[in-house]
Amino acid sequence: MTNHWIDIGNSDCILIMGSNAAENHPISFKYVTQAQMKGAKLINVDPRFTRTSSKADIFARLRGGTDIPFLGGMIKYILDNKLYNYEYVRHYTNACFIVGKEFSFKNGVFSGYDPKNRKYDKKAWAFEMDAKGVPKMDRTLKDSRCVFQLLKKHYSRYNTKLVSQITGTPEADLLKVYKEYAATGATGKAGTIMYAMGWTQHTVGTQNIRTMAIIQLLLGNIGVAGGGVNALRGESNVQGSTDHCLLWHIWPGYLKSARASNVSLAAYMKKWTPKSNDPLSANWWQNYPKYTVSLLKSFFGEKATKENDFGYDWLPRVDDGKTYSFLDMFDDMYRGKTKGMFCWGMNLCASLAHGNKNRQAMGKLDWLVNVNIFDSESASFWRGPGMNPSTIKTEVFSLPCCVSVEKEGSITNSGRWMQWRYQGPKPLGNSKSDGDIIMELGFKLKELYEKEGGPLPEPILNLKWDYMTNGMYDPHKVAKEINGYFLKDCTVKGKLCKKGTLVPSFAWLQADGSTSSANWLYCNSYTEKGNMSARRGQEDAVNKIGLYPEFAWCWPVNRRIIYNRASVDLKGQPFDKKDWVVKFVGDVKAGKYVSNKWIGDVPDGGWYPLQNPDGTAREDAKYSYIMRKHGHAQIFGPGLADGPFPEHYEPVESPLTKNPMRNNDQMLNPAVSIFTSDMDVYASASAKYPIVCSTYRVSEHWQTGLMTRPQPWLLELEPQVFVEMSEELAKEKGIKNGERVMVDSARGSLACTAIVTKRFEPFKIMGKTVHQVGVPWCFGWRWPESGTEDSANLLTPSIGDPNTKIPETKTFMVNVRKK
Amino acid sequence: MGGKSFFIDTSICTACRGCQVACKQWHDLPAEKTINRGTHENPADLSFDTYRLVRFREVVVGGKLQWLFFPEQCRHCIEAPCLETAGDPGAIYRDDKTGAIIFTANTKRLNADEIIEACPYNIPRKAPDGTLAKCDMCIDRVENGLLPACVQTCPTGAMNFGDRNEMLALARQRLAIVKKKHPKARLLDPDDVRVICLVTEDPKLYHEFAVASSLAFDISRVVALKRLIRPLTNLAARL
């Protein structure tokens, strides 16, 4: 989230699209309801009428996988009717940048495409630079090759008539949504988006979110209270685990994983440290070397020296151009390339797309270590439906871990709030905290490498591993390590910093090995003043918009709304006079600011505003989007794998035979890579699988249901896997409400109970009737004990977004038949 | 009139059913063996082990699809027909402080079917041995200064509990606001019960027993009638 949960209550218009907040984030509705009570409008866009829709002022349905046409139509509507926030767009976004002549878009493909490798050369999308190496700009937005004009041209094809034919949304409903949401472009109004896996789990997942980000920038909705782009995380600590590098492509704090071609620390720094020649661009990532070296010092302690590149060579590097996502891991495993796996706090046999492939793949492992609070479909994969235990060689070890309330530590919520939790009851039986299990594992590995040696022993032997107190894992030691220490007496910012003290914030980190920090973004969370995340102050900030700055702590540096300097005009005065976020209150003399003071939230860099009260420009100012190389938010995004503007492509499995978007011959996103094992099969425009299907969750079960299906009260509410379908489809198939039916895809079959409902309706797509159904993925054969229920992921395809490799489980094709 | 009351604003209920689970948890009630019956509503009905049940109804009103949610529970009537019918304070009594209508284990000695029939909201349910059960307003929590479990867990503010005057004031205040968006909004039997529900559509669309089912006569008349014939029935029982 750019903003945070409480802030949703400040919104004037809430769009819930790509999520089902009332059901899957029920507490969020506290704040949605607060906003509605103050007069905010709630818009919900979904293929299915949900519990969220039941509370919406406007509900519009769309065919799964057509969010880009829906939102692209909104971009065109905003531009055609000049509803954008002109001052915001021309000053704070790259709408004014001039794009190089090489850029083009023809027949569904951007320039620079290599069809053989399904990859783009992004150099073809570069900006034009002036003699100093600063992007050329036209702040009037009139240049025919400026981003604003290219945006207009790109979305000129997304007229409501065509959008309606693609999405199946009636034109009148499209216009209702566009009109209501675009009204938040007015100065002082804020619109927010609440999205989740309904947007990400597509082969165009990243671009779905990009499309909305463009809308938010056009309307001036980023950085303001009640605005932002807000990802609702699916689990209480997904934000925290991502920040600390759960994913393969990053190190903690979103530093890049080293590539094979980054042959030395210097080469790594050169590759990933952005350079800007614009004195007005803060280009915050120029601090990359400080964060990297502090991370390496945290990993390897005194063993990391300037002479050995601070141990850079001891960290694994990923091959250039190769990806290592869950889909890749299981493809390798299926091909027999993987020996063993730790499956830790996950239930991949139920949660990951193409369950049948994953269950087969695990049978090819020599060993599997499963760490969880219960037995699961994954730990017991070898005795699941269709498996023959006598032919499976995998040795399975199950380690019981304790549950969240039995241990101390922090979680980071969707709003980036790091919140400390104390320990309730002690761990049950011989279960242990994850921290204790990891620590012991580390000690054992060190012992074995010391005793027996082995290839590449340095990363393990040199690893600093001192997070125990009295023989137990100490979460405070880890939290302090994450924050970071001064490793020697040194003078920073003219102040003497004593060796062994905690670093006050990331602005103090150094690239010379004198500081450590296991995650620069969290530097400031545990300082000499104490554990900031354990604070429980109840006082709001001066602007009274629900920031509560002394309750817990949030990254970065306790800034509750990021990009907040875009919420003020060039003179530092808020666009929204009532719900303002930050405000410049420095002294003025003769029309000039003479002292520097911001109030409200922690400002995104505390420089002077770009202009003095008399309208003269200041040279000591910085642009508001400090994390972007050129200081401007990106309407044109030249960094993504699949194009600088979002474009509509059909899902890998579609009911259509050709892309219905004009000037687009590409069915599938051209940058998507396709797995080729014998189990990776797809059925697009197939008479055998004519129905669009989506997976989702329910309020009553948590993720795969592993923690809730063994709970009788919750199982009582949602006892069985179901397929929801329209009355029209049920009639066509002769299916009665409540009867057991089969749902088939090209990859698997699932027995479900039919829920025949008015909440699904057939779509009219390009003149044809298209049905959509939905199946939840929160079931598995292990619980309930009947063994008759299983996961919707037996049906889903193993294909992913080209940027993230998140699987496309929100749109694929199935058939439904009587059992 | 003093005592306590609930105010249930169904216009902001999202049917997350936290209340339904919290009720089972606080009262330590066993889960029922259920199946999916082609609806998300479960279990199928209130029972001796289920005091609270969120009803789900899909209706089309004026061409617009609506999904209506209604948490069913004892209304703790001001003049409670169950209590009057029983005429046995050891089995069914009114708590003086809160006004809660409480069923005890002694309900076993009552004519269960007669009590169930007397309820205009079809709430009490019997165990195989004839003992009756229903919502007890979490009287043990309330006496100790806590909110009822269902209210405590509600994320949106649909469930409210407090002094009756405050709840009535809140209900009327909310009604005035909700009416602007939903002209058919109304409070259900606010003068007769301690569980005041705000609905936005015809109450019959939510559930058969959303409003008192007293067909030809209202609650107080049923009660008056019961009072009239009680000496006779008691006499008959003794014969």
Side-chain angles (χ1 to χ4, degrees):
Chain A
M1 278 186 171
T2 55
N3 297 41
H4 58 100
W5 292 111
I6 295 175
D7 185 64
I8 291 166
N10 291 322
S11 194
D12 296 300
C13 187
I14 299 165
L15 174 61
I16 300 185
M17 184 169 174
S19 78
N20 178 6
E23 300 193 37
N24 300 332
H25 301 84
I27 312 302
S28 74
F29 252 67
K30 176 174 177 174
Y31 307 106
V32 173
T33 305
Q34 276 174 9
Q36 280 187 292
M37 285 198 175
K38 288 191 275 181
K41 289 282 186 292
L42 173 61
I43 304 172
N44 178 225
V45 182
D46 199 289
R48 170 182 66 130
F49 190 102
T50 66
R51 291 180 235 185
T52 300
S53 324
S54 79
K55 294 289 155 286
D57 296 285
I58 301 172
F59 168 68
R61 56 180 87 242
L62 87 172
R63 169 173 64 105
T66 63
D67 302 80
I68 290 174
F70 192 106
L71 297 174
M74 178 146 35
I75 293 177
K76 178 171 162 51
Y77 179 89
I78 291 166
L79 295 173
D80 287 354
N81 296 289
K82 298 195 164 43
L83 297 167
Y84 46 87
N85 185 327
Y86 180 61
E87 291 305 308
Y88 189 105
V89 170
R90 74 195 191 108
H91 290 301
Y92 297 152
T93 76
N94 68 9
C96 57
F97 286 26
I98 312 295
V99 177
K101 291 196 180 89
E102 249 193 274
F103 171 75
S104 71
F105 176 77
K106 279 185 202 121
N107 299 328
V109 177
F110 295 93
S111 46
Y113 188 54
D114 165 8
K116 200 173 137 246
N117 294 309
R118 299 185 65 84
K119 269 188 181 151
Y120 282 106
D121 178 359
K122 297 176 205 168
K123 284 195 211 96
W125 313 333
F127 295 118
E128 251 175 38
M129 298 290 182
D130 67 12
K132 285 186 221 132
V134 175
K136 285 189 189 166
M137 301 178 203
D138 172 18
R139 298 263 186 212
T140 69
L141 310 182
K142 288 195 179 121
D143 189 293
S144 67
R145 275 191 297 109
C146 81
V147 166
F148 189 74
Q149 295 301 330
L150 294 176
L151 181 80
K152 255 190 182 168
K153 190 175 157 209
H154 189 80
Y155 290 102
S156 62
R157 296 167 296 140
Y158 288 62
N159 63 73
T160 46
K161 188 164 174 238
L162 181 60
V163 167
S164 171
Q165 287 174 335
I166 297 172
T167 59
T169 316
E171 261 189 278
D173 289 355
L174 286 174
L175 287 168
K176 243 197 270 178
V177 174
Y178 294 171
K179 190 174 171 217
E180 190 68 50
Y181 199 77
T184 64
T187 302
K189 292 282 172 201
T192 189
I193 169 67
M194 296 166 70
Y195 77 90
M197 299 299 160
W199 268 1
T200 56
Q201 292 183 346
H202 293 275
T203 42
V204 291
T206 307
Q207 297 287 8
N208 279 337
I209 294 141
R210 277 271 302 142
T211 322
M212 192 64 207
I214 291 172
I215 290 174
Q216 290 296 68
L217 289 172
L218 288 174
L219 298 174
N221 275 336
I222 294 187
V224 303
V229 173
N230 295 307
L232 315 184
R233 304 309 210 131
E235 194 266 343
S236 50
N237 199 22
V238 169
Q239 184 64 53
S241 54
T242 312
D243 299 340
H244 293 299
C245 89
L246 177 78
L247 302 173
W248 69 270
H249 69 294
I250 43 169
W251 288 349
Y254 303 92
L255 300 171
K256 308 280 184 188
S257 295
R259 302 308 196 260
S261 58
N262 309 150
V263 293
S264 63
L265 183 59
Y268 172 83
M269 303 287 205
K270 185 159 184 280
K271 171 74 184 167
W272 302 115
T273 310
K275 280 207 173 55
S276 166
N277 294 326
D278 190 338
L280 289 176
S281 176
N283 183 26
W284 196 267
W285 279 113
Q286 65 176 292
N287 295 307
Y288 207 96
K290 297 176 184 170
Y291 306 154
T292 305
V293 172
S294 295
L295 173 67
L296 291 168
K297 284 300 289 179
S298 157
F299 280 155
F300 301 117
E302 286 173 3
K303 298 277 168 54
T305 62
K306 198 159 186 296
E307 292 65 41
N308 64 18
D309 263 2
F310 300 104
Y312 171 78
D313 286 339
W314 302 331
L315 288 178
R317 292 179 205 154
V318 298
D319 282 336
D320 293 74
K322 198 169 149 38
T323 57
Y324 300 79
S325 68
F326 275 110
L327 292 180
D328 297 294
M329 273 165 54
F330 273 85
D331 194 59
D332 279 352
M333 203 185 298
Y334 181 70
R335 291 165 191 274
K337 290 186 190 168
T338 311
K339 269 196 171 166
M341 174 166 74
F342 277 84
C343 182
W344 205 310
M346 299 193 98
N347 186 11
L348 291 158
C349 285
S351 61
L352 186 61
H354 204 343
N356 283 324
K357 181 183 174 186
N358 307 333
R359 293 174 189 190
Q360 291 301 323
M362 279 166 80
K364 301 191 179 187
L365 293 169
D366 289 348
W367 54 267
L368 167 70
V369 178
N370 185 68
V371 188
N372 217 312
I373 61 174
F374 294 128
D375 182 24
S376 70
E377 283 76 22
S378 303
S380 278
F381 78 96
W382 50 273
R383 58 188 182 111
M387 305 297 273
N388 179 0
S390 66
T391 63
I392 294 169
K393 61 170 180 169
T394 318
E395 190 175 3
V396 180
F397 304 88
S398 278
L399 303 181
C401 60
C402 66
V403 303
S404 58
V405 297
E406 292 169 340
K407 57 192 178 188
E408 188 178 13
S410 78
I411 65 110
T412 302
N413 75 9
S414 299
R416 297 168 285 103
W417 288 22
M418 175 189 177
Q419 303 185 82
W420 199 260
R421 293 173 168 181
Y422 56 85
Q423 184 187 38
K426 296 260 183 287
L428 200 64
N430 62 356
S431 67
K432 288 187 173 174
S433 78
D434 296 301
D436 282 295
I437 296 173
I438 293 173
M439 287 306 295
E440 283 185 37
L441 183 67
F443 287 129
K444 196 75 199 169
L445 283 170
K446 277 176 172 287
E447 184 192 310
L448 286 171
Y449 269 106
E450 249 157 48
K451 244 199 282 184
E452 299 173 12
L456 296 171
E458 295 91 348
I460 299 292
L461 290 179
N462 294 337
L463 184 65
K464 191 168 87 71
W465 207 238
D466 53 359
Y467 309 117
M468 303 285 271
T469 299
N470 300 328
M472 296 288 284
Y473 163 76
D474 185 343
H476 291 274
K477 282 189 175 164
V478 173
K480 287 177 184 173
E481 185 71 45
I482 287 169
N483 179 85
Y485 294 97
F486 290 105
L487 302 174
K488 47 181 132 169
D489 290 350
C490 49
T491 308
V492 188
K493 295 168 180 272
K495 261 182 94 174
L496 178 70
C497 305
K498 294 292 278 179
K499 179 182 173 176
T501 59
L502 292 155
V503 179
S505 89
F506 53 65
W508 302 65
L509 294 176
Q510 300 299 318
D512 61 1
S514 61
T515 58
S516 70
S517 172
N519 189 332
W520 72 276
L521 271 182
Y522 281 78
C523 190
N524 184 232
S525 63
Y526 206 131
T527 67
E528 290 299 320
K529 288 181 187 153
N531 183 352
M532 296 292 123
S533 70
R535 296 179 304 170
R536 292 294 178 266
Q538 307 282 314
E539 240 183 85
D540 204 353
V542 54
N543 43 358
K544 303 286 178 227
I545 53 168
L547 299 177
Y548 296 100
E550 286 172 9
F551 188 93
W553 177 90
C554 91
W555 70 255
V557 287
N558 209 27
R559 182 175 301 135
R560 303 283 159 141
I561 295 178
I562 53 179
Y563 311 121
N564 57 28
R565 269 199 316 124
S567 72
V568 297
D569 62 19
L570 297 179
K571 301 182 173 81
Q573 300 311 306
F575 290 121
D576 186 343
K577 305 285 178 236
K578 194 174 136 273
D579 295 330
W580 57 277
V581 184
V582 291
K583 189 190 272 184
F584 191 77
V585 293
D587 295 331
V588 184
K589 248 188 209 156
K592 307 276 189 281
Y593 286 127
V594 292
S595 71
N596 185 342
K597 190 179 180 192
W598 291 88
I599 56 168
D601 197 5
V602 178
D604 238 328
W607 294 279
Y608 276 97
L610 285 153
Q611 283 184 2
N612 285 308
D614 64 5
T616 51
R618 292 192 69 105
E619 283 180 4
D620 52 2
K622 299 284 177 210
Y623 295 133
S624 52
Y625 281 87
I626 61 172
M627 299 311 287
R628 305 311 325 173
K629 182 161 73 171
H630 303 303
H632 290 67
Q634 302 193 107
I635 284 178
F636 187 87
L640 291 183
D642 45 357
F645 285 135
E647 170 66 7
H648 174 62
Y649 302 102
E650 286 288 317
V652 70
E653 292 189 334
S654 154
L656 306 179
T657 49
K658 69 184 276 287
N659 190 335
M661 183 48 73
R662 279 201 288 129
N663 185 24
N664 191 332
D665 302 335
Q666 299 286 322
M667 264 301 269
L668 180 66
N669 183 344
V672 159
S673 58
I674 298 164
F675 291 99
T676 55
S677 86
D678 59 336
M679 289 190 83
D680 293 292
V681 286
Y682 308 101
S684 202
S686 152
K688 217 172 153 192
Y689 306 106
I691 304 166
V692 180
C693 185
S694 181
T695 68
Y696 40 76
R697 292 200 277 149
V698 294
S699 313
E700 295 78 3
H701 289 298
W702 177 248
Q703 308 288 30
T704 69
L706 186 61
M707 291 199 283
T708 52
R709 283 181 277 127
Q711 214 302 329
W713 291 325
L714 297 168
L715 200 60
E716 175 192 86
L717 300 173
E718 290 286 1
Q720 285 180 295
V721 64
F722 56 81
V723 54
E724 290 184 298
M725 67 182 78
S726 70
E727 292 171 344
E728 291 82 354
L729 178 62
K731 200 172 159 205
E732 216 174 88
K733 299 276 183 186
I735 290 168
K736 282 197 291 296
N737 190 31
E739 80 171 292
R740 288 292 268 189
V741 296
M742 294 304 294
V743 181
D744 308 313
S745 79
R747 294 155 298 278
S749 291
L750 185 67
C752 303
T753 303
I755 294 184
V756 179
T757 170
K758 293 185 198 316
R759 294 177 296 99
F760 261 122
E761 273 179 23
F763 294 105
K764 256 292 180 272
I765 306 296
M766 304 310 288
K768 262 182 37 186
T769 298
V770 172
H771 291 287
Q772 182 158 354
V773 299
V775 184
W777 58 275
C778 55
F779 287 94
W781 58 269
R782 187 66 187 79
W783 282 282
E785 276 157 355
S786 62
T788 53
E789 313 305 314
D790 215 328
S791 169
N793 277 316
L794 295 182
L795 306 170
T796 53
S798 47
I799 189 165
D801 173 278
N803 298 286
T804 62
K805 281 277 173 101
I806 196 165
E808 186 161 70
T809 59
K810 290 297 172 268
T811 315
F812 53 98
M813 300 301 289
V814 300
N815 190 31
V816 181
R817 62 185 159 92
K818 282 177 85 80
K819 214 178 162 188
Chain B
M1 183 191 317
K4 300 284 183 188
S5 281
F6 291 84
F7 167 53
I8 305 182
D9 184 352
T10 68
S11 77
I12 55 171
C13 169
T14 57
C16 73
R17 297 194 276 189
C19 56
Q20 204 176 313
V21 174
C23 178
K24 288 231 156 174
Q25 185 177 18
W26 180 254
H27 294 97
D28 205 10
L29 294 168
E32 301 191 34
K33 196 102 188 111
T34 57
I35 56 161
N36 187 310
R37 300 168 294 117
T39 170
H40 294 284
E41 182 185 294
N42 239 335
D45 196 9
L46 294 173
S47 76
F48 188 75
D49 294 326
T50 301
Y51 301 164
R52 180 181 185 80
L53 177 58
V54 179
R55 300 287 184 181
F56 291 59
R57 293 291 181 270
E58 291 167 21
V59 295
V60 177
V61 185
K64 205 179 154 213
L65 176 62
Q66 296 208 46
W67 206 0
L68 303 176
F69 309 125
F70 188 80
E72 213 189 351
Q73 66 170 92
C74 170
R75 311 298 200 282
H76 298 278
C77 299
I78 307 291
E79 298 286 344
C82 59
L83 181 147
E84 298 295 341
T85 304
D88 179 350
I92 302 180
Y93 70 95
R94 179 183 292 105
D95 176 65
D96 283 344
K97 257 202 243 156
T98 59
I101 306 296
I102 304 295
F103 283 18
T104 73
N106 292 331
T107 48
K108 196 173 156 186
R109 65 192 184 210
L110 301 175
N111 179 340
D113 294 335
E114 195 188 44
I115 303 293
I116 293 166
E117 209 181 308
C119 176
Y121 299 99
N122 185 33
I123 295 296
R125 292 291 185 274
K126 64 178 176 181
D129 71 356
T131 312
L132 288 163
K134 64 158 193 74
C135 161
D136 62 359
M137 206 189 259
C138 284
I139 188 79
D140 45 356
R141 290 176 60 91
V142 173
E143 273 180 359
N144 287 288
L146 298 172
L147 288 169
C150 55
V151 177
Q152 177 77 41
T153 200
C154 179
T156 63
M159 295 296 303
N160 301 275
F161 184 81
D163 290 341
R164 178 164 176 82
N165 293 340
E166 280 171 31
M167 288 300 109
L168 272 171
L170 180 64
R172 292 196 184 108
Q173 185 197 345
R174 274 296 292 159
L175 179 67
I177 295 167
V178 174
K179 255 187 180 295
K180 286 181 200 152
K181 212 191 259 186
H182 306 281
K184 282 185 276 179
R186 57 180 273 201
L187 303 175
L188 301 181
D189 307 330
D191 300 327
D192 299 328
V193 294
R194 288 186 184 275
V195 179
I196 304 152
C197 295
L198 187 158
V199 296
T200 55
E201 297 295 339
D202 176 359
K204 290 283 177 207
L205 295 175
Y206 289 78
H207 181 52
E208 194 188 344
F209 299 104
V211 275
S213 66
S214 40
L215 299 174
F217 37 89
D218 62 23
I219 297 178
S220 49
R221 284 188 55 198
V222 180
V223 171
L225 193 67
K226 287 286 176 195
R227 276 184 185 147
L228 215 67
I229 61 169
R230 189 190 302 141
L232 294 174
T233 47
N234 285 356
L235 191 67
R238 258 178 249 133
L239 285 174

